Amino acid sequence: MAPSHCDTFQSNAVPVAMPAAALGLGKPMPRLGFGTASATLGQAEGRAGVTQAVLHALDAGYRHFDTASSYNTEAAVGDAVAQALRAGKIASRDDLYITTKLWIADAHPRRVLPALQKSLRNLGMEYVDMYLIHFPVSMRPPAVEGAIMVVKDDLVEMDMKGVWEEMEECHRRGLARAIGVSNFTCKKLEYLLSFAKIPPAANQVEMHPYCRQNKLRAFCRDKGIQLCAYSPLGGKRARWANNSVMDSPILEQIAHEKGKTVAQVCIRWVYEQEDCVIAKGFNEQRMQENLEIFGWELTDDDRRRISALPESRGTYNFFVHESGPYKTAEEFWDGEIVAGQSTYQIAACLDSTN
């Protein structure tokens, strides 16, 4: 059964309820969330800077917050939530939807539960609303615990069954109200579903007008898995960015005709696919603009022009290496991408090898 999208996410602090997607597990996910990933993994912004950004996002009306152990922003999100509760900006923790993710170095049996417990300590929370496997690959644990650098020589195949069993245990213990995955293809989801006692509630993937994920969307709808988009603007200004999106003349033309920004057109396009979307913008004006996607829609001609854009993605060959489980991007993405059309360049801050 495909997810229902008629539910709303109620919050006593928000005058108008945010549209939300009903999931197969846990409470409905607000359709528009606030992302906390940055090109510097929170280092340039600092803990206080990220905390202030989250507080501003709460004031703007966001109630869905996306973080990950590898973003170095869990503690800042937790600080903001604690401050908001003390100030009465929100009535309770239950007013929020918090997502975090399992990093590849912890994607091993017997490391999943401790990793989530560490994330919860960082967040200062008793549970998260969604816990995701960040990527469908593992890495040998680093010599220094907590290091998030990707060492390509240490990439190994994930014991998906063993890892998912521990994800299910996280849910059974009430530490994760829902569990899911990120960056999983149809083939990898099909394998996961072949043994999962609790199916993934969501799959968070790169999605924007240049990375439309049509095949994956159809598969997830059929299996009752909610798609959630990250990098809806292509990750502009990040070193791994897909700059095709914000530099697109077609999207600029559509935005001009609508009296909207390119960012609003991109986020609205994802929203119209019935997917959830994570938008990151620490600037207060952009935070507000990203929320202004309701009350208007794209035309059939707009959608036709978007569907004709060439496919590309930023996360093209992120975990590809000759010594790893995936030797080519086609192997990693199971042939669900068009080879050779990516603008992706691996970020030096995440990769220790060339």
Side-chain angles (χ1 to χ4, degrees):
M1 180 183 297
S4 167
H5 297 270
C6 60
D7 290 309
T8 55
F9 184 82
Q10 300 293 338
S11 170
N12 295 331
V14 183
V16 179
M18 172 75 72
L23 306 180
L25 201 64
K27 65 189 179 188
M29 176 186 286
R31 293 280 305 282
L32 182 57
F34 184 80
T36 63
S38 69
T40 63
L41 302 178
Q43 293 173 2
E45 298 83 0
R47 180 167 172 172
V50 176
T51 296
Q52 283 303 307
V54 173
L55 285 169
H56 290 318
L58 281 163
D59 288 338
Y62 291 90
R63 292 298 179 266
H64 177 184
F65 293 91
D66 182 87
T67 183
S69 59
S70 62
Y71 297 168
N72 196 34
T73 57
E74 289 175 330
V77 171
D79 289 346
V81 171
Q83 290 183 37
L85 285 168
R86 289 195 297 269
K89 292 178 183 287
I90 51 176
S92 73
R93 158 70 179 87
D94 290 339
D95 282 343
L96 304 178
Y97 197 99
I98 307 294
T99 294
T100 195
K101 307 176 189 74
L102 175 74
W103 183 234
I104 60 173
D106 290 315
H108 302 274
R110 296 180 297 280
R111 290 184 66 92
V112 178
L113 182 59
L116 177 54
Q117 290 170 330
K118 181 179 179 180
S119 287
L120 291 174
R121 288 194 297 272
N122 288 339
L123 288 161
M125 298 177 185
E126 296 180 354
Y127 70 92
V128 291
D129 297 285
M130 179 68 72
Y131 194 41
L132 302 175
I133 297 176
H134 208 153
F135 287 93
V137 67
S138 297
M139 187 176 73
R140 296 183 186 93
V144 179
E145 285 294 328
I148 56 176
M149 180 180 291
V150 175
V151 180
K152 286 201 166 190
D153 288 338
D154 287 339
L155 293 174
V156 293
E157 185 174 359
M158 180 190 290
D159 176 359
M160 197 179 295
K161 190 172 188 295
V163 169
W164 191 252
E165 286 174 352
E166 288 206 20
M167 294 287 288
E168 292 175 330
E169 180 63 19
C170 290
H171 171 67
R172 279 190 288 269
R173 294 192 184 198
L175 302 179
R177 299 294 171 85
I179 52 176
V181 297
S182 183
N183 298 295
F184 271 51
T185 62
C186 298
K187 182 177 179 179
K188 291 178 176 64
L189 283 170
E190 199 158 32
Y191 175 61
L192 175 57
L193 290 169
S194 72
F195 55 76
K197 295 183 176 66
I198 302 173
N203 184 16
Q204 188 181 118
V205 297
E206 179 181 352
M207 191 189 309
H208 47 71
Y210 280 81
C211 182
R212 294 182 288 279
Q213 301 282 14
N214 292 332
K215 178 180 178 180
L216 184 62
R217 181 179 300 107
F219 180 90
C220 287
R221 282 181 181 171
D222 182 60
K223 302 300 182 182
I225 301 169
Q226 177 64 51
L227 269 192
C228 186
Y230 69 76
S231 292
L233 314 183
K236 189 173 177 66
R237 285 183 291 276
R239 279 181 285 179
W240 57 83
N242 183 333
N243 293 317
S244 301
V245 182
M246 297 300 287
D247 294 341
S248 168
I250 297 298
L251 295 177
E252 287 180 2
Q253 183 180 8
I254 294 172
H256 177 74
E257 293 167 358
K258 289 279 179 294
K260 304 295 181 181
T261 66
V262 172
Q264 288 168 332
V265 168
C266 292
I267 296 170
R268 177 70 198 187
W269 178 84
V270 174
Y271 179 79
E272 289 187 5
Q273 310 309 304
E274 298 189 348
D275 302 318
C276 295
V277 56
I278 303 298
K280 184 261 178 183
F282 285 5
N283 175 278
E284 291 181 62
Q285 180 180 344
R286 288 197 296 271
M287 286 182 200
Q288 186 59 50
E289 287 178 354
N290 290 345
L291 284 171
E292 294 170 3
I293 63 162
F294 308 108
W296 60 280
E297 62 181 25
L298 298 170
T299 65
D300 289 341
D301 184 60
D302 296 334
R303 299 183 193 102
R304 179 192 59 77
R305 284 184 284 174
I306 289 173
S307 68
L309 294 172
E311 288 270 351
S312 64
R313 69 172 73 204
T315 50
Y316 180 68
N317 57 356
F318 203 88
F319 296 110
V320 172
H321 192 254
E322 59 184 10
S323 68
Y326 302 106
K327 308 295 191 292
T328 66
E330 287 72 23
E331 286 183 1
F332 188 86
W333 298 109
D334 297 314
E336 294 178 21
I337 59 171
V338 179
Q341 290 190 341
S342 175
T343 59
Y344 176 81
Q345 297 292 328
I346 292 183
C349 65
L350 283 179
D351 194 350
S352 66
T353 63
N354 294 317

